[in-house]
Amino acid sequence: MATFTLKTATNVLHRHHNQLAFFSNGASTRRNFPISQNRRSRLVPKVSMSATTVQTFLEKSAPSTKNTALPIMVNACTGKMGKAVINAAEAAGLHVVPVSFGCEDESGQTFEVSGREFLVHGPSDRESFLESVLDKYPNLIIVDYTIPDAVNGNAELYSKVGVPFVMGTTGGDRDLLHKTVEDSKNYAVISPQMGKQVVAFLAAMEIMAEQFPGAFSGYSLQVLESHQASKVDASGTAKAVISCFNKLGVSFDMDKIQLIRDPKQQVEMVGVPEDHLLGHAFHMYHLTSPDETVSFEFQHNVCGRSIYAEGTVDAVLFLAKKIEAKDPKRIYNMIDVLREGSMR
């Protein structure tokens, strides 16, 4: 479940005994969310595939009617986001190719994901592996939800081989990422945020920043973001919003983002439902006037991963249309997707 609030109230982020709390009119804003009790399926390695070629595996797993569905390859298919994207893609009628890049420990094994077997390939000889997949599926689009350290190497490989891709992984050297794609003249959707409604909020922030620069000059900003403990880097969404506030006249350094990764703090201070400690994104931006008589609060809370998975599928479909129309090979973002009305 995702919640979004935009309000102008006398709310203040307080620090007390090195802990963060969020209060509104003297009462905690922690809420009880009606969260569905979805059971997490286990990913179980099946058998070693060292003696089976990727071509044979793809042939065996090909869709029954040839070329009726857009093929996508989800890298890091055993991860939580990979699994969510696979479910969303299949629900949208796409053909998820049953192969994926993974870590060395997973290399050569098949894993059951959402009732299907996926062959995972490790770090070695990835170029020839990817070329084999592309040979079988010329219209292939890749979805990347790997790790920050793999972003630049993966983008370089995709661009070298000439496979369009959607980069959902945050982190890495983003300037180098953009340069790699631009130099290669490849199709790509790269965005710090894949959630549809959050993208719309970001678009509105950018419009406000462009049309009313300096509107919040002199205001101070506090930013708190909470994600599952496995997310090691600061939120790309938070950075994008802060950049807009900078244009609006607010001075704020990215290293001042308050990262909450401790589950106890997330439950007690941020109000994250316990069922979603392993998958959530809570963001709070608090602006205060120089004389502290005016404050603005922007907040968007997301539980689970479906919002990102559905947005990722929208990005894939958008990119496929661009390719079919022979539009310019360049980097697109989720605001481009939103502006074209490509959100289902």
Side-chain angles (χ1 to χ4, degrees):
M1 186 191 77
T3 67
F4 177 85
T5 63
L6 169 60
K7 49 190 175 181
T8 57
T10 56
N11 298 348
V12 181
L13 272 170
H14 298 284
R15 181 181 292 275
H16 182 63
H17 297 304
N18 296 322
Q19 293 184 330
L20 291 167
F22 198 77
F23 295 97
S24 177
N25 299 325
S28 171
T29 61
R30 287 177 289 179
R31 306 169 181 84
N32 293 320
F33 297 88
I35 304 300
S36 60
Q37 302 293 328
N38 293 327
R39 296 178 60 187
R40 294 188 295 271
S41 61
R42 299 178 59 187
L43 298 174
V44 183
K46 304 292 286 185
V47 295
S48 172
M49 297 295 292
S50 58
T52 305
T53 65
V54 62
Q55 293 91 343
T56 302
F57 191 85
L58 290 171
E59 192 69 41
K60 185 173 64 173
S61 305
S64 55
T65 305
K66 190 176 181 181
N67 296 328
T68 58
L70 176 67
I72 71 168
M73 176 179 172
V74 180
N75 283 336
C77 71
T78 60
K80 294 182 176 66
M81 268 308 306
K83 179 176 177 292
V85 170
I86 289 170
N87 289 335
E90 291 183 337
L94 304 185
H95 174 59
V96 182
V97 176
V99 294
S100 177
F101 287 158
C103 63
E104 185 64 47
D105 291 343
E106 297 173 330
S107 183
Q109 298 184 51
T110 59
F111 290 80
E112 185 176 316
V113 183
S114 300
R116 295 179 56 204
E117 289 187 357
F118 284 76
L119 171 65
V120 176
H121 190 79
S124 63
D125 300 322
R126 297 186 309 156
E127 184 174 341
S128 59
F129 179 88
L130 184 55
E131 287 174 342
S132 297
V133 181
L134 188 61
D135 182 63
K136 178 69 178 176
Y137 297 99
N139 298 325
L140 182 72
I141 293 177
I142 288 178
V143 170
D144 190 299
Y145 275 105
T146 53
I147 58 174
D149 288 345
V151 165
N152 295 109
N154 285 353
E156 184 177 351
L157 174 62
Y158 306 152
S159 298
K160 181 180 180 180
V161 177
V163 185
F165 67 93
V166 175
M167 179 60 72
T169 312
T170 58
D173 186 330
R174 306 308 277 193
D175 290 336
L176 178 59
L177 169 62
H178 281 250
K179 185 177 186 303
T180 297
V181 180
E182 289 166 357
D183 290 349
S184 68
K185 306 297 182 185
N186 194 19
Y187 286 104
V189 173
I190 300 174
S191 177
Q193 169 61 246
M194 290 292 175
K196 304 177 186 181
Q197 291 74 24
V198 181
V199 168
F201 169 61
L202 285 173
M205 287 294 302
E206 290 197 1
I207 292 171
M208 182 167 65
E210 290 171 2
Q211 296 189 4
F212 309 111
F216 286 92
S217 294
Y219 275 65
S220 61
L221 175 66
Q222 291 175 287
V223 180
L224 179 152
E225 62 98 324
S226 174
H227 288 77
Q228 58 275 6
S230 61
K231 183 173 176 59
V232 296
D233 57 330
S235 165
T237 302
K239 292 179 180 178
V241 173
I242 290 168
S243 293
C244 292
F245 281 129
N246 289 157
K247 295 176 184 177
L248 287 163
V250 179
S251 178
F252 187 88
D253 294 328
M254 297 295 181
D255 59 5
K256 292 182 180 178
I257 300 173
Q258 299 173 73
L259 307 181
I260 308 297
R261 298 293 184 269
D262 177 70
K264 184 177 180 181
Q265 292 180 331
Q266 290 172 339
V267 171
E268 295 180 355
M269 294 186 298
V270 183
V272 179
E274 292 188 16
D275 289 345
H276 287 278
L277 288 173
L278 298 179
H280 71 276
F282 278 39
H283 296 75
M284 303 174 193
Y285 312 91
H286 188 82
L287 292 157
T288 305
S289 65
D291 62 1
E292 299 185 352
T293 61
V294 180
S295 66
F296 289 81
E297 174 195 326
F298 298 78
Q299 179 176 338
H300 51 95
N301 300 340
V302 174
C303 292
R305 296 176 173 84
S306 62
I307 186 175
Y308 310 119
E310 291 168 3
T312 300
V313 171
D314 290 334
V316 169
L317 295 172
F318 165 87
L319 205 54
K321 290 179 181 178
K322 290 295 181 184
I323 296 168
E324 184 179 8
K326 294 182 169 52
D327 283 349
K329 293 183 177 182
R330 67 176 182 87
I331 297 173
Y332 298 92
N333 57 37
M334 288 298 286
I335 294 177
D336 294 319
V337 179
L338 182 64
R339 282 175 176 158
E340 286 208 1
S342 295
M343 298 291 194
R344 292 169 298 117

